Amino acid sequence: MLTSQLQELPHLLNSMPPPLLKTLSATNSTIRKVVHQHVQSITIFTPEDVVLLASADWPNMTSLDLEYNLLGDEIAWLTQDYSCLTSFKFEMKDTWRYSPIRRAVHSCVSPLLASSNWPMLCTLNLTWACLDDQAMAQMALGNWPNLTKLVLSGNLLNTAAIKHLVKGNWPLLETLDLSKNRLDASSTEMLAQGLWPKLKSLNISQMGVAPVNMNYNAASLASVPGHLVQGDWPLLECLILDMVNIDALGISVLIKGSWPLLKELSMCHNDFSSAWLPLLAKAAWPLVRKFSTTLWGLKCNADAISRLMSVGWRLEELVLHTDYLASGYLSGNAIPSLVKSDMTSLKCLDLTGYELEGGYAASLAESKWPQLVRLRLNICGLLDANTAGFLVKADWPLLKHLAVTGISISSISVLCKGSWPYLETLELTENDVHFGVMGAAELVKGD
């Protein structure tokens, strides 16, 4: 009975933790064979889980996920041939990135990459994996002709590491995430030499991340845009350049990039004001549908929307942050301009760092965004019942996801009265966690 059920519902096996799989495998030889034949995905938490994995062949294994606490020599036991493996993930907690644990991990990642035989690998995620030059050299030798996604975020990679990376023979690579590394102008110059003709997404945000107490020269990032535009990536659709120290001159160079299929551009927390946004109109990127940026300063906020609209993109997703943490500007005076703009195709909106009181909330509620599906209001201050009362009057008939921070207990039940028949998710994160039972009581008042 159990054997037939497992054969008919193999997805149950793929959702089981390793200890349960071990118990099932010990039942009898027939069930053990079914387990080994049908399991395609395993998440490893402990060395004991690795013992289970190394004890048998898993001919149909497609996904391995090594969680944070697998940090010993046991990782080297994963030397089997996984001929069907398409996804491998090894990720440390970023809070450990400066601890002695890093040194313990250095010795295990490189041998694993050297001994891997994963000809079907499509996704490789090595976030905060303590990659050194030796590991990067081994990675470049990886026989992964089907690799489409490579995530190397948070490894403090430098120019020497990128020199190894660009030697990788991955002709199908579409997504490359190099965020939170120690990259500079030399690194991006080397990166532009990468032969990845199918590259669609590149993330180099937070370049110049450095260990604690180590100074890093932000000026070394000044020529980054000039190197990026040299990259031969004609299929590029997504470019994430948050915190890359791009200034007005950098924008004037970046717009020369030959990326006619670009759909998403993120440039949050850089060193330029919205006065330079109209320069983006000169870029040959007619398909941009998602744009993220930071509006610097009170006066800049007032005119930023009209400048952004002058670019001529038919935006469907817009992320607008303010520099409120740096300068203390909390004004929501960009909101009326946003509402008046011609953005009838807008589907997703993220407003972070704005006041949302009185007239600003009323103005937001008057917006004509018939296709709006997702709205995030990461506001400054407290969203009280009166302010929530304005929001529920908004005509957003297709809204499915609403996220609001800074909400008060009294405003919860008011917010639940919004006429949004397709609402699926109401996210109230980063609020007062103490509203507890009282907040839950207010929630159930909503329909």
Side-chain angles (χ1 to χ4, degrees), residues 139-147 164-173 195-197:
M139 182 183 301
L141 297 175
N143 180 26
W144 309 317
N146 296 298
L147 190 68
H164 291 302
L165 180 68
V166 296
K167 295 178 181 178
N169 182 22
W170 310 311
L172 301 183
L173 190 67
L195 299 179
W196 306 308

Side-chain angles (χ1 to χ4, degrees), residues 127 150-154 175-181 201-205:
T127 300
L150 180 58
V151 180
L152 302 176
S153 178
T175 300
L176 179 59
D177 185 345
L178 294 172
S179 59
K180 300 178 182 178
N181 283 294
S201 177
L202 176 63
N203 183 350
I204 57 171
S205 61

Side-chain angles (χ1 to χ4, degrees), residues 91-231:
E91 180 176 350
M92 282 181 59
K93 289 182 179 179
D94 60 353
T95 52
W96 292 351
R97 61 189 184 274
Y98 304 131
S99 75
I101 294 178
R102 286 186 58 86
R103 293 190 291 273
V105 182
H106 275 305
S107 62
C108 62
V109 176
S110 184
L112 177 64
L113 292 174
S115 61
S116 65
N117 182 20
W118 309 326
M120 301 302 293
L121 191 69
C122 295
T123 300
L124 180 60
N125 185 337
L126 299 174
T127 300
W128 296 113
C130 310
L131 301 178
D132 55 12
D133 284 350
Q134 182 182 5
M136 292 300 295
Q138 292 293 347
M139 182 183 301
L141 297 175
N143 180 26
W144 309 317
N146 296 298
L147 190 68
T148 58
K149 182 176 182 179
L150 180 58
V151 180
L152 302 176
S153 178
N155 285 287
L156 305 184
L157 302 179
N158 54 22
T159 302
I162 301 302
K163 186 176 182 179
H164 291 302
L165 180 68
V166 296
K167 295 178 181 178
N169 182 22
W170 310 311
L172 301 183
L173 190 67
E174 296 182 356
T175 300
L176 179 59
D177 185 345
L178 294 172
S179 59
K180 300 178 182 178
N181 283 294
R182 293 183 57 210
L183 307 184
D184 56 14
S186 298
S187 306
T188 50
E189 183 178 15
M190 187 68 64
L191 184 64
Q193 299 175 19
L195 299 179
W196 306 308
K198 296 186 180 295
L199 192 67
K200 293 183 178 180
S201 177
L202 176 63
N203 183 350
I204 57 171
S205 61
Q206 299 188 49
M207 294 173 61
V209 171
V212 174
N213 298 325
M214 179 182 291
N215 294 323
Y216 200 80
N217 183 12
S220 67
L221 305 180
S223 56
V224 165
H227 296 311
L228 284 179
V229 298
Q230 300 300 318

